[in-house]
């Protein structure tokens, strides 16, 4: 998209992943809009701060709720590209992130979550709307923060299952879209970004010069939590089970018709796991929590 400047509307732009998308869009010279809920007396200083930062960058903030249909339609008519980084899909927006939902079978809470996304995907295709579905797998900064908890500097680190399942971890800033991928699914699976939990912990020990206690959380305990925790707290543990116990991001072979990002862009240098941990040593990204409400 470097040579074609577009008007880009981003939903969820003030959230964890959305911030990366907004900054990338602006840096590439696109006219960027963010659809965000109105500021209220309960709005956090962080949410207010990110909006002020965006406005200083030239981003247009459109305040509104998701159920304001006329406002949504009006905004959509004025843009060329729509990107949604809303964690839990409630209505159609032509964008997609995370695991390749058509090729995984997780525990019921995560399955129900993915089924909502599948319905959006089917409706998009059936309506003939141009789309790009991006299977970014695990966001690197998010899950390194979650698994290693570097801000807390713990002595104990939890290992889910055996810790030997392979998982794909990609740095958020390396996830993007391209007009050439129109009406295709793009899967991010760079070879150097495939790692197990145990390998990740060992690499972090080498980086920090520390030794950590590995506290193993058995699979049956995680499954039990997915069955007994109320909704939506049962979704995160189901995701952990799928990613780090079952290894769903590496649970299927890529075929000739699959678009794999590192093969699609061989000249693009994706940040490796090793390089991502170097970032955590010098300027660690803030920890965040996904919302499933």
């Amino acid at each position: 998209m470097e040579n074609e400047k577009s008007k880009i509307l981003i939903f969820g732009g003030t959230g964890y992943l959305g911030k990366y998308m907004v900054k990338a869009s602006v840096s590439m010279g696109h006219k960027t809009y963010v659809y965000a809920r109105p500021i209220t007396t309960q709005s956090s200083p962080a949410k207010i701060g990110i909006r002020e930062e965006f406005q200083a960058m030239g981003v247009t903030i459109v305040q509104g709720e998701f159920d304001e249909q006329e406002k949504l339609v009006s905004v959509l008519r004025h843009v060329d590209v729509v990107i949604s980084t809303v964690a839990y899909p409630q209505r159609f927006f032509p964008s997609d992130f995370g695991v390749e939902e058509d090729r995984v079978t997780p525990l019921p809470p995560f399955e129900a979550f993915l089924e909502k996304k599948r319905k959006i995907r089917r409706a998009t295709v059936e309506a003939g709307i141009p789309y790009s579905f991006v299977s970014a797998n695990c966001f690197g900064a998010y899950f390194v923060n979650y698994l290693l908890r570097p801000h807390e500097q713990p002595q104990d680190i939890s290992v889910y299952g055996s810790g030997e399942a392979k998982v794909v971890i990609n740095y958020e800033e390396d996830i993007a879209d391209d007009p050439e991928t129109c009406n295709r699914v793009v899967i991010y699976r760079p070879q150097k970004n495939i790692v197990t939990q145990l390998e990740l912990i060992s690499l972090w020990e080498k980086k920090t010069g520390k030794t950590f206690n590995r506290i193993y959380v058995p699979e049956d305990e995680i499954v039990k939590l997915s069955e007994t925790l109320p909704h939506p707290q049962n979704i995160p543990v189901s995701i952990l089970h799928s990613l780090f116990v079952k290894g769903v991001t590496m649970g299927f072979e890529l075929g000739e018709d699959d678009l794999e990002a590192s093969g699609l862009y061989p000249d693009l240098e994706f940040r490796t796991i090793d390089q991502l941990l170097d970032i955590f040593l010098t300027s660690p990204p803030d920890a965040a929590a996904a919302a499933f409400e």
Side-chain angles (χ1 to χ4, degrees):
M1 297 177 68
E2 290 183 359
N3 298 322
E4 298 181 13
K5 304 308 177 186
S6 304
K7 295 178 181 178
I8 297 180
L9 173 64
I10 300 175
F11 290 90
T14 60
Y16 177 72
L17 177 59
K19 291 183 288 187
Y20 290 96
M21 292 292 178
V22 172
K23 292 176 182 179
S25 176
V26 172
S27 70
M28 297 175 71
H30 300 296
K31 177 63 177 176
T32 306
Y33 301 80
V34 170
Y35 193 91
R37 290 189 175 93
I39 291 290
T40 68
T41 55
Q42 274 116 23
S43 298
S44 68
K47 286 292 184 183
I48 296 173
I50 192 65
R51 293 190 192 207
E52 292 175 347
E53 180 183 351
F54 285 168
Q55 289 173 327
M57 295 164 56
V59 174
T60 299
I61 306 292
V62 180
Q63 296 195 98
E65 299 288 352
F66 286 131
D67 58 1
E68 295 184 70
Q69 184 173 353
E70 290 185 7
K71 180 177 287 188
L72 285 168
V73 171
S74 175
V75 174
L76 290 170
R77 285 174 175 163
H78 289 86
V79 300
D80 307 305
V81 178
V82 177
I83 298 174
S84 173
T85 60
V86 178
Y88 199 94
Q90 299 171 13
R91 62 175 67 222
F92 161 73
F93 301 117
S95 186
D96 198 16
F97 299 95
V99 299
E100 180 25 33
E101 61 250 31
D102 283 335
R103 298 162 87 168
V104 301
T105 306
L107 293 175
F110 191 22
E111 173 67 20
F113 172 82
L114 292 181
E115 185 57 29
K116 295 177 184 289
K117 300 178 73 175
R118 294 187 190 113
K119 289 179 179 178
I120 293 174
R121 181 178 284 196
R122 300 291 173 265
T124 304
V125 174
E126 291 172 6
I129 299 172
Y131 65 84
S132 289
F133 296 133
V134 179
S135 176
N137 290 308
C138 297
F139 293 125
Y142 181 93
F143 277 104
V144 167
N145 263 316
Y146 189 92
L147 295 172
L148 302 180
R149 310 198 319 277
H151 289 278
E152 302 173 28
Q153 299 184 349
Q155 185 61 44
D156 298 338
I157 292 182
S158 297
V159 178
Y160 302 99
S162 69
E164 296 176 348
K166 292 187 178 296
V167 60
V168 186
I169 297 179
N170 296 300
Y171 189 32
E172 287 82 340
E173 292 187 6
D174 292 339
I175 309 300
D177 187 21
D178 188 320
E180 293 183 8
T181 66
C182 185
N183 294 341
R184 299 293 299 274
V185 176
V186 182
I187 299 172
Y188 278 71
R189 196 188 277 186
Q191 194 62 36
K192 291 184 178 180
N193 288 16
I194 301 170
V195 68
T196 69
Q197 288 180 82
L198 294 180
E199 290 169 342
L200 182 66
I201 295 170
S202 294
L203 185 56
W204 187 236
E205 287 178 327
K206 292 178 182 177
K207 296 281 186 184
T208 61
K210 300 178 180 178
T211 300
F212 301 101
N213 299 323
R214 291 149 175 78
I215 309 300
Y216 288 84
V217 183
E219 178 179 4
D220 58 357
E221 183 176 324
I222 300 172
V223 172
K224 186 66 174 178
L225 284 172
S226 77
E227 297 170 342
T228 57
L229 285 174
H231 178 83
Q233 289 96 317
N234 56 0
I235 298 175
V237 294
S238 302
I239 292 175
L240 289 176
H241 179 268
S242 296
L243 297 177
F244 302 110
V245 178
K246 294 302 184 184
V248 298
T249 61
M250 288 295 294
F252 57 92
E253 296 293 330
L254 297 181
E256 293 182 2
D257 294 333
D258 289 313
L259 290 181
E260 195 284 312
S262 62
L264 189 61
Y265 309 110
D267 296 329
L268 180 62
E269 293 186 6
F270 292 88
R271 257 69 64 94
T272 65
I273 299 295
D274 187 81
Q275 292 169 328
L276 177 58
L277 292 184
D278 284 338
I279 293 173
F280 271 88
L281 281 176
T282 57
S283 182
D286 291 336
F292 296 95
E293 295 283 3

